[in-house]
């Protein structure tokens, strides 16, 4: 127990973004690791210093600029939701009655690969599509929009969504069998029912905005999209904007929203860190004699919670120190604004973390879709498709994957630095105060870049 508590405390102090637990990192680095580490850190640091040379209005104009592309007309949200609801029902049925192999059963692939791995990145590219894809909208309309329309107290904020996100993270990272189709079907059905109950109690708009964690995550990711639609109804306009431009015009998040974003990043961080030899050594486990998840329930639960607490302490300490340096008097409002600047980092690590498993498991999903119940069907002619795991093997693949991951991490941090400065300008009013407020945050981001790139190349158990 002493070792566990020591590991918990140490992890709180060294929390950073961990990468690619699913990337099966058997690649040999193309350059010495320290060159990548310091190159990435210097890039982030240089981008911060370059902001000194930019007039404040330039950064504001860059993020606010829009280029009109075309007029668009969109379908009502419930139209596509009508299709996603039966897809979910088929997935649940396959989870209960189909193959027990998580790579042959469509439900684990639907939840972990399509929903959790792929959709956030798609939202970051094309904008908010979960409003059309979620399975609750069609059902809510089909049964006549019933509801108690209870008032959701302001103090509740995003805490329901944060609680659901923590349970989701614990299920994937700590629960002994997160890929078991029947267990996953049970948890998925329970979440569907709980969400429908929230909609019935508080109304569709209120609960989807505050309690449904997937929608909140996807809408947050969509703010990074270079595509933006404006207007009402069918008279909408599609514009091209600076990636992350909409994040520079957001309102401050309350404490519950800050906690949600910090948990999201801590989730992805610990997902990678928990499989490194470093973490296993810290909790007294021989990586060559891995005892299985059941034996590590307590240390992994403490590690997940510790990652969240540690990251929160680091972020809030940096914001508070920066607020003092800028002679500010509203550190929590500054934290509510600056938390948005971490979204590019979260999505960059999400991409790097899951890139390889996404390339392989999307192929398995392609196969499982043709035979969802493992009965010998070939609905789409893909049941006999041979999954090519070799797409991630070899020197050329290693070069592409490593560079894509490293570029995403460094690029995400550079964009985060620019966004943080733009948000600080809004909050503090002058370039000098904004710059002073961002010194601790820049130091923190450089440290995260160093540690993140190191974790990218660290040996893991799988």
């Amino acid at each position: 127990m002493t070792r566990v508590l020591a590991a918990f405390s140490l992890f709180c102090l060294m929390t950073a973004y961990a990468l690619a637990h699913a990337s099966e990192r058997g690649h040999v680095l193309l350059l010495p690791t320290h060159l990548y580490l310091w190159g990435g850190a210097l890039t982030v640091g240089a981008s911060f210093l370059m902001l000194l040379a930019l007039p404040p209005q330039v950064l504001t104009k860059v993020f606010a600029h829009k280029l009109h592309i075309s007029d668009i007309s969109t379908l009502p949200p419930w139209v596509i939701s009508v299709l996603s609801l039966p897809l979910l029902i088929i997935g649940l049925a396959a989870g209960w009655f189909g193959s027990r192999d998580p790579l042959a059963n469509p439900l684990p692939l639907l939840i972990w690969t399509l929903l959790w791995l792929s959709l956030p990145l798609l939202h970051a590219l094309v904008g908010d599509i979960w409003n059309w894809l979620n399975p609750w909208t069609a059902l809510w309309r089909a049964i006549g929009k019933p509801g108690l329309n209870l008032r959701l107290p302001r103090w509740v904020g995003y805490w329901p969504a944060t609680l659901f996100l923590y349970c989701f993270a614990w299920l994937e990272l700590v629960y002994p069998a997160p890929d078991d189709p029947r267990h996953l079907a049970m948890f998925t059905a329970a979440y569907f029912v709980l969400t429908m109950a929230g909609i019935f109690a508080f109304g569709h708009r209120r609960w989807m905005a505050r309690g449904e964690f997937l929608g909140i995550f996807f809408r947050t990711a969509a703010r990074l999209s270079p595509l933006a639609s404006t207007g009402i109804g069918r008279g909408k306009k599609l514009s091209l904007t600076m990636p992350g431009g909409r994040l520079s015009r957001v309102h401050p998040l309350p404490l519950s929203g800050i906690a949600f974003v910090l948990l999201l990043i801590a989730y992805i961080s610990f997902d990678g860190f928990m499989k490194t030899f470093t973490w296993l050594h810290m909790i007294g486990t021989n990586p060559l004699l891995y005892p299985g998840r059941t034996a590590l329930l307590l240390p992994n639960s403490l590690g997940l919670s510790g990652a969240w607490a540690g990251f929160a302490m680091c972020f809030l300490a940096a914001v508070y120190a920066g607020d003092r340096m800028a002679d500010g008097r509203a550190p929590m409002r500054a934290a509510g604004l600056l938390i948005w600047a971490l979204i590019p980092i979260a999505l960059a690590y999400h991409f790097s973390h899951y890139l390889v498993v996404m390339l392989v498991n999307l192929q398995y999903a392609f196969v499982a879709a043709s035979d969802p119940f493992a009965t010998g069907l070939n609905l789409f002619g893909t049941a006999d498709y041979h999954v090519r795991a070799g797409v991630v093997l070899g020197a050329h693949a290693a070069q592409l994957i490593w560079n894509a991951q490293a570029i995403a991490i460094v690029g995400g941090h550079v964009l985060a630095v620019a966004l943080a400065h733009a948000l600080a300008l809004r909050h503090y009013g002058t370039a000098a105060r904004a710059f002073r407020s961002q010194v601790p945050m820049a130091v923190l981001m450089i440290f995260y870049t160093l540690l993140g790139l190191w974790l990218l190349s660290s040996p893991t158990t799988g």
Side-chain angles (χ1 to χ4, degrees):
M1 188 62 183
T2 302
R3 290 185 177 183
V4 172
L5 292 176
F8 173 81
S9 302
L10 180 59
F11 188 73
C12 286
L13 297 175
M14 63 176 293
T15 302
Y17 309 103
L19 310 166
H21 90 290
S23 67
E24 307 297 337
R25 289 171 292 174
H27 302 305
V28 177
L29 298 186
L30 304 175
L31 289 176
T33 303
H34 69 277
L35 296 182
Y36 280 110
L37 296 181
W38 291 110
L42 289 174
T43 301
V44 175
S47 65
F48 174 72
L49 294 176
M50 285 175 61
L51 295 175
L52 280 174
L54 284 178
Q57 63 271 20
V58 171
L59 193 60
T60 303
K61 287 181 179 179
V62 167
F63 280 120
H65 182 71
K66 291 183 180 180
L67 177 63
H68 176 67
I69 299 177
S70 66
D71 297 333
I72 58 173
S73 60
T74 59
L75 295 171
W78 61 268
V79 173
I80 301 178
S81 180
V82 168
L83 302 177
S84 63
L85 180 59
L87 178 64
L88 175 62
I89 294 172
I90 293 171
L92 290 174
W96 270 305
F97 306 112
S99 171
R100 297 300 298 272
D101 182 355
L103 291 178
N105 191 298
L107 184 63
L109 296 166
L110 175 66
I111 300 299
W112 298 124
T113 302
L114 296 178
L115 191 70
W116 180 243
L117 274 63
S118 306
L119 272 186
L121 302 178
L122 186 60
H123 277 76
L125 290 175
V126 303
D128 183 14
I129 57 175
W130 184 244
N131 193 34
W132 282 264
L133 289 179
N134 82 78
W136 295 282
T137 301
L139 181 59
W140 177 69
R141 289 182 63 94
I143 59 181
K145 300 183 182 180
L148 301 177
N149 281 322
L150 300 177
R151 181 177 173 271
L152 196 62
R154 181 181 293 272
W155 63 265
V156 170
Y158 295 94
W159 289 120
T162 304
L163 175 61
F164 280 124
L165 176 60
Y166 185 88
C167 293
F168 187 82
W170 190 90
L171 173 65
E172 185 191 3
L173 305 186
V174 182
Y175 185 71
D179 289 332
D180 183 277
R182 292 181 188 173
H183 293 189
L184 190 57
M186 178 181 65
F187 290 123
T188 303
Y191 180 69
F192 181 87
V193 171
L194 287 172
T195 300
M196 204 65 213
I199 291 172
F200 180 81
F202 301 104
H204 182 272
R205 182 182 61 82
R206 291 192 194 98
W207 190 253
M208 296 300 283
R210 300 291 182 179
E212 204 281 289
F213 81 94
L214 288 170
I216 294 172
F217 177 31
F218 295 152
R219 283 194 301 275
T220 301
R223 291 180 180 272
L224 276 176
S225 173
L227 299 176
S229 61
T230 56
I232 301 174
R234 296 182 178 273
K236 290 187 176 182
K237 299 180 181 295
L238 184 66
S239 302
L240 190 65
T241 68
M242 172 74 177
R246 281 177 288 172
L247 287 171
S248 66
R249 300 185 294 275
V250 292
H251 298 292
L253 282 175
L255 179 61
S256 57
I258 296 172
F260 182 89
V261 177
L262 292 172
L263 174 58
L264 182 66
I265 300 175
Y267 172 5
I268 302 171
S269 300
F270 187 65
D271 193 357
F273 187 75
M274 66 182 286
K275 289 193 174 182
T276 63
F277 290 1
T278 302
W279 169 251
L280 294 175
H281 176 72
M282 287 167 64
I283 61 176
T285 299
N286 185 343
L288 301 179
L289 299 173
Y290 188 73
R293 283 187 170 216
T294 303
L296 300 179
L297 279 174
L298 177 59
N300 284 343
S301 296
L302 290 175
L304 175 61
S305 300
W308 188 14
F311 189 83
M313 286 189 293
C314 291
F315 172 74
L316 293 175
V319 172
Y320 181 78
D323 191 70
R324 291 292 299 272
M325 292 175 66
D327 300 321
R329 297 182 179 179
M332 285 309 299
R333 187 179 186 279
L337 271 177
L338 293 174
I339 193 68
W340 290 105
L342 300 186
I343 303 303
I345 295 175
L347 267 293
Y349 280 97
H350 189 94
F351 169 81
S352 299
H353 189 83
Y354 295 120
L355 176 59
V356 173
V357 76
M358 204 160 42
L359 293 175
V360 175
N361 280 9
L362 283 174
Q363 298 179 67
Y364 281 107
F366 189 58
V367 174
S370 276
D371 189 10
F373 297 97
T375 58
L377 291 175
N378 195 358
L379 297 175
F380 306 109
T382 60
D384 298 323
Y385 175 81
H386 179 66
V387 174
R388 295 183 295 171
V391 73
V392 300
L393 301 177
H396 183 63
Q399 180 183 18
L400 291 176
I401 289 169
W402 170 259
N403 287 324
Q405 290 172 322
I407 290 170
I409 294 165
V410 175
H413 278 85
V414 170
L415 181 56
V417 167
L419 274 171
H421 194 70
L423 291 167
L425 279 171
R426 275 182 52 192
H427 181 69
Y428 292 104
T430 67
R433 293 180 68 200
F435 182 82
R436 291 201 303 271
S437 75
Q438 290 307 291
V439 171
M441 187 68 71
V443 172
L444 195 61
M445 288 184 179
I446 290 172
F447 175 73
Y448 291 151
T449 305
L450 280 169
L451 195 51
L453 289 171
W454 174 77
L455 285 169
L456 185 62
S457 59
S458 296
T460 68
T461 58

